[in-house]
């Protein structure tokens, strides 16, 4: 488990965990977030309990939205009906490239966030759909219509307010997260780590 400080390019923290640990479980081994830090992680670390913990420490998170996460409008009561993201995005005009709203994530313990949706180019959508179909076929699973519909969008969630993290900045920072993937690849190629 590695934390990479994007501002300095330095490794902030490195932990060794059993190889069978799921990313979300291994993440619990990291130090508690500091106030005003922004934590960026991939879907393997998507865990509502973890996101709530980051928020409780007055820190911020930025993550892709995990498909199947229950969403509710931020202003709804706990007994309110779930927000259907697939239907909302399908109802937007074809020329609308972006959509943003406040949501609560989780069926029981609700975690507040801004939902940031950006339409991807048609070529990217097709690539995602092909990969999704191939993955479902390989696993012998039925294709999820929701996942297929959402292939046309990049979906991010953050608890950072717009004045601290604009949609454009969120996209740029989430893209910078790939630096850690490049670091892992470098270690595997040069050091033979597996």
């Amino acid at each position: 488990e590695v934390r990479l400080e994007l501002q300095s390019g330095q490794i902030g923290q490195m932990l060794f965990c059993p190889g069978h640990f799921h990313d979300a479980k291994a993440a619990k081994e990291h130090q508690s977030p500091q106030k005003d830090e922004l934590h960026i992680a991939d879907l393997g670390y998507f865990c509502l309990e973890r996101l709530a913990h980051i928020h409780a420490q007055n820190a911020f998170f930025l993550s892709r939205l995990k498909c199947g996460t229950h969403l509710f409008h931020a202003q709804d009561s706990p007994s309110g009906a779930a927000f259907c993201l697939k239907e909302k995005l399908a109802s937007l005009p074809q020329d609308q490239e972006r959509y943003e709203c406040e949501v609560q994530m989780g069926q029981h313990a609700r975690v507040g966030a801004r939902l940031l949706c950006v339409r991807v180019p048609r070529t990217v959508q097709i690539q995602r759909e092909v990969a999704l179909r191939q993955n479902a076929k390989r696993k012998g699973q039925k294709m999820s219509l929701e996942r297929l519909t959402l292939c046309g969008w990049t979906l991010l969630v953050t608890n950072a307010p717009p004045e601290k993290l604009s949609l454009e900045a969120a996209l740029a920072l989430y893209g910078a997260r790939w630096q850690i993937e490049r670091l892992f690849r470098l270690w595997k190629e040069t050091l033979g780590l597996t």
Side-chain angles (χ1 to χ4, degrees):
E1 291 297 307
V2 178
R3 267 195 190 167
L4 181 65
E5 168 55 54
L6 288 176
Q7 284 183 314
S8 66
Q10 301 292 313
I11 293 174
Q13 186 180 18
M14 188 162 57
L15 299 171
F16 293 93
C17 301
H20 64 275
F21 268 33
H22 186 277
D23 290 343
K25 184 177 181 183
K28 291 180 181 178
E29 305 295 321
H30 282 291
Q31 297 169 354
S32 283
Q34 300 298 307
K35 184 179 179 196
D36 292 329
E37 282 182 342
L38 175 64
H39 291 254
I40 307 168
D42 68 13
L43 273 180
Y45 293 91
F46 189 93
C47 169
L48 293 177
E49 181 183 313
R50 180 180 159 275
L51 299 181
H53 175 70
I54 291 170
H55 182 74
Q57 302 301 313
N58 294 313
F60 303 108
F61 59 79
L62 175 62
S63 174
R64 281 180 49 211
L65 175 67
K66 186 173 184 179
C67 192
T69 302
H70 289 88
L71 298 177
F72 300 85
H73 288 289
Q75 67 275 12
D76 285 352
S77 68
S79 59
F83 168 60
C84 184
L85 180 59
K86 177 183 68 142
E87 290 176 9
K88 178 60 186 175
L89 295 179
S91 73
L92 296 175
Q94 281 296 87
D95 62 344
Q96 185 170 341
E97 300 292 321
R98 296 169 180 212
Y99 174 72
E100 182 176 336
C101 69
E102 297 284 329
V103 296
Q104 295 284 324
M105 301 183 293
Q107 193 165 13
H108 303 293
R110 306 274 175 93
V111 179
R114 288 168 54 216
L115 172 63
L116 311 174
C117 309
V118 179
R119 197 184 297 270
V120 299
R122 181 72 179 136
T123 53
V124 173
Q125 180 179 354
I126 291 169
Q127 289 171 348
R128 289 178 177 181
E129 289 171 356
V130 167
L132 192 61
R133 283 189 176 96
Q134 289 174 342
N135 192 39
K137 184 177 180 180
R138 185 174 42 85
K139 292 183 176 180
Q141 296 175 339
K142 190 174 179 180
M143 188 65 156
S144 163
L145 183 59
E146 180 183 15
R147 284 179 186 262
L148 197 58
T149 303
L150 298 180
C151 283
W153 296 84
T154 293
L155 306 170
L156 300 175
V157 288
T158 183
N159 64 330
E163 60 273 14
K164 285 194 179 271
L165 186 66
S166 68
L167 189 147
E168 291 77 14
L171 287 171
L173 285 168
Y174 196 79
R177 188 199 63 78
W178 277 100
Q179 296 304 312
I180 202 157
E181 302 297 340
R182 296 181 73 190
L183 177 66
F184 292 151
R185 184 174 181 179
L186 181 66
W187 285 350
K188 287 176 182 178
E189 290 174 353
T190 59
L191 301 176
L193 299 178
T194 56

